[in-house]
Amino acid sequence: MTTGDNELMIEFLLGHINYWLFVVLMMTGLYIVIVRGNYVKKIVGLNIFQTAVFMFYISIGKITGGTAPIFPTDSQGRIRPDPDIVYSNPLPHVLILTAIVVGIATTALGLALIVRIREEYNTIEEDDVLEIETKLAEQENRIHGFGPGGGA
Amino acid sequence: MRHHLILRVITKILVGPIILYGLYVQFHGDFSPGGGFQAGVIIAVAFTLYGIVFGLRAVYAVLPPWVVHRLMALGLLIYAGVGILNMLSGYEFLNYGAFAPNHPSHGQHLGILWVETGVGITVTGVMIAVFYAFAGRPPRMGDDDW
Amino acid sequence: MAETIINVVLFSMLVLTALALVRMERLFTIVMLAGVFSLLAAMLFVTLDAVDVAFTEAAVGAGVSTVLYLGTIALTARGCKPSVRPSTVPLLVCIITGAVLIWGTLDMPNFGDAEAPAEVHVAQYYLTESVKEIDVPNVVTSILASYRGFDTLGEVAVIFAAGVGVLLIISRMPGQGRRKDKEDS
């Protein structure tokens, strides 16, 4: 391998390590959602998953040597455009900015459901809820029979 | 929280500046990072802090739940209303041209100001309403159980 | 180069925080670590030039969502049961999905590439034309409220709908006698 190959390799690694770390982050979130039975922890896992997607979008918008997309102004507040400044892509920022606030609103909805689940089942573990549900379904089946319409 | 004297005094000092900062973020969003979404969350945090430290009854006296519930809808109505107003004046929905027909960028400034105000009001309303909803349920754990 | 190092270090800390969250059992610790996670994410957003997003993440992730999580814990339970489920199959699923995703990133343009497809299309129009058309220094604001105003209207409607949903599920309004009777019995 020559020095040129090595440099290309390092450039490729540095150019993609953000995307790989975001995949690790995303899979950590997914793993928490699948494996852990606690509903609050599932929501935290979903938030990690969500943040990984945000990171991916913002990483795409970044330009090396760029700066935040806000134009310089003079003392009167008028814009003084400077063609030498490189700006990062503002479009992903807009999409993610709104997505974060929508994310907290939907998280609140999920947490509200958890509170109601605790009041009905007196537990916030998915396994316990499923057990109670199965028992209830068996009782109903014993009363109404297993036929269509009666089975739960 | 009746016995936490320092928390109570610091909260009293902080609530005003937090709301002021929220308003700065709201109306300076054209020139610096910020805007309706961030401002709404910051203003809601001020009321949340007040509610946590002084209790729900105190914060209900400042901002009753029925006001918050109407704020939620008001912001969305302001936003959509700006769009409808433009349509009635013969422009496209959310074009903002109607605010200053002879000077397009002034119309844009006014349109952005109103739209961001609407966003800020809705986000403030929703965040405070969600906090009220969670804090209003009878708690299962006492203060010492943590 | 310094920017790259800061970026990679912060991102690694973020991943480590997420990995530490996997095995924790006390919900209070989990919520506090989720707050740390959000603050780290906000710092990373600043290094990636997304100052508006960092602002939002710091206010929302470390502020409001922590309060909501703590409120939920106070209403439900403190700990979570140690997992009894078999974890090999989920682990395998995650590793395979991750491997496929990483395989997909190999074709992507380098991080920070100014010639990448995402940079040359509509973003350049916003950066050059918004000075004349909107005359607002913060490009994020002019896209959010003007170019993509209809999009933002939809987002505000979603937030409103989520807020109404929370109120319908757990709010206790005065005059709701029927529900109160049911819970007392």
Side-chain angles (χ1 to χ4, degrees):
Chain A
M1 208 188 251
T2 60
T3 3
D5 279 352
N6 265 334
E7 270 169 24
L8 267 180
M9 194 72 203
I10 291 172
E11 201 188 311
F12 181 79
L13 278 178
L14 282 181
H16 286 75
I17 193 161
N18 252 46
Y19 304 138
W20 299 337
L21 286 172
F22 123 78
V23 170
V24 175
L25 200 59
M26 199 174 187
M27 288 307 119
T28 312
L30 184 63
Y31 182 77
I32 294 178
V33 173
I34 299 176
V35 170
R36 306 316 298 251
N38 188 289
Y39 285 127
V40 175
K41 202 158 176 192
K42 269 182 198 287
I43 298 261
V44 172
L46 271 180
N47 269 330
I48 292 175
F49 193 94
Q50 192 184 17
T51 310
V53 177
F54 296 165
M55 286 295 162
F56 181 59
Y57 262 71
I58 301 293
S59 294
I60 287 177
K62 167 79 179 165
I63 294 178
T64 311
T67 180
I70 298 172
F71 297 129
T73 52
D74 60 15
S75 53
Q76 264 88 50
R78 266 183 245 108
I79 300 175
R80 289 269 164 273
D82 185 348
D84 295 335
I85 303 178
V86 180
Y87 297 106
S88 289
N89 189 348
L91 187 56
H93 302 183
V94 176
L95 303 178
I96 297 313
L97 163 56
T98 51
I100 289 177
V101 184
V102 170
I104 180 66
T106 47
T107 301
L109 196 63
L111 293 174
L113 283 173
I114 293 175
V115 169
R116 287 294 297 139
I117 287 173
R118 205 279 301 168
E119 284 170 359
E120 289 296 324
Y121 294 94
N122 206 20
T123 174
I124 55 166
E125 301 286 336
E126 192 179 51
D127 300 338
D128 298 352
V129 171
L130 286 178
E131 205 173 301
I132 295 170
E133 275 290 304
T134 321
K135 262 183 205 152
L136 280 177
E138 271 171 12
Q139 274 174 12
E140 282 194 2
N141 281 343
R142 224 168 285 140
I143 299 168
H144 302 292
F146 290 87
Chain B
M1 292 266 179
R2 201 151 293 283
H3 47 288
H4 292 292
L5 181 67
I6 294 175
L7 277 182
R8 292 164 69 88
V9 172
I10 296 289
T11 305
K12 274 184 186 167
I13 296 171
L14 272 181
V15 166
I18 291 176
I19 295 178
L20 195 63
Y21 182 60
L23 290 173
Y24 166 78
V25 169
Q26 169 85 53
F27 295 111
H28 207 259
D30 296 0
F31 298 92
S32 59
F37 286 100
Q38 294 92 332
V41 173
I42 290 172
I43 294 174
V45 162
F47 287 99
T48 309
L49 178 67
Y50 192 77
I52 289 174
V53 174
F54 290 94
L56 268 188
R57 200 168 297 237
V59 76
Y60 279 172
V62 182
L63 197 65
W66 65 268
V67 174
V68 177
H69 296 161
R70 275 156 189 71
L71 281 182
M72 283 168 61
L74 177 69
L76 191 58
L77 286 176
I78 289 177
Y79 200 139
V82 168
I84 302 282
L85 200 69
N86 278 283
M87 273 172 86
L88 292 181
S89 320
Y91 291 83
E92 294 98 340
F93 187 65
L94 290 173
N95 184 315
Y96 310 148
F99 290 113
N102 304 319
H103 203 307
S105 72
H106 279 191
Q108 295 286 340
H109 286 183
L110 270 175
I112 289 176
L113 183 74
W114 278 109
V115 160
E116 292 271 13
T117 309
V119 172
I121 291 174
T122 292
V123 174
T124 312
V126 169
M127 294 300 158
I128 298 177
V130 166
F131 168 70
Y132 280 2
F134 275 91
R137 303 293 285 189
R140 199 183 180 204
M141 291 159 53
D143 268 356
D144 301 324
D145 292 341
W146 290 89
Chain C
M1 194 62 209
E3 216 175 44
T4 316
I5 294 171
I6 295 172
N7 176 32
V8 171
V9 168
L10 274 179
F11 216 138
S12 313
M13 282 166 75
L14 200 66
V15 171
L16 288 178
T17 316
L19 288 175
L21 270 168
V22 173
R23 296 206 68 82
M24 286 193 168
E25 316 256 294
R26 262 179 70 102
L27 287 180
F28 187 73
T29 338
I30 290 172
V31 169
M32 286 302 135
L33 213 58
V36 171
F37 181 84
S38 283
L39 275 182
L40 279 172
M43 278 194 264
L44 194 55
F45 284 136
V46 173
T47 62
L48 293 174
D49 294 343
V51 278
D52 283 87
V53 182
F55 200 165
T56 320
E57 177 71 40
V60 165
V64 175
S65 78
T66 309
V67 172
L68 289 186
Y69 279 127
L70 290 180
T72 312
I73 294 175
L75 291 174
T76 54
R78 264 179 302 168
C80 65
K81 275 191 188 166
S83 183
V84 288
R85 304 178 182 192
S87 60
T88 23
V89 177
L91 196 65
L92 219 65
V93 168
C94 287
I95 288 174
I96 291 172
T97 318
V100 171
L101 283 174
I102 286 177
W103 183 50
T105 64
L106 295 183
D107 281 342
M108 288 189 63
N110 274 353
F111 170 69
D113 187 358
E115 302 296 316
E119 325 290 349
V120 292
H121 189 45
V122 71
Q124 284 311 313
Y125 175 86
Y126 290 144
L127 285 171
T128 50
E129 300 300 314
S130 78
V131 180
K132 267 178 275 157
E133 287 181 355
I134 314 282
D135 193 29
V136 161
N138 190 350
V139 189
V140 174
T141 302
S142 54
I143 298 177
L144 181 88
S146 184
Y147 286 117
R148 292 185 167 251
F150 194 58
D151 189 358
T152 311
L153 176 63
E155 308 268 12
V156 175
V158 171
I159 294 167
F160 173 73
V164 171
V166 172
L167 291 184
L168 285 176
I169 294 171
I170 59 168
S171 180
R172 283 209 159 162
M173 297 304 294
Q176 282 180 328
R178 199 162 52 94
R179 186 196 277 179
K180 216 169 192 172
D181 291 345
K182 196 186 150 203
E183 273 169 9
D184 287 345
S185 62

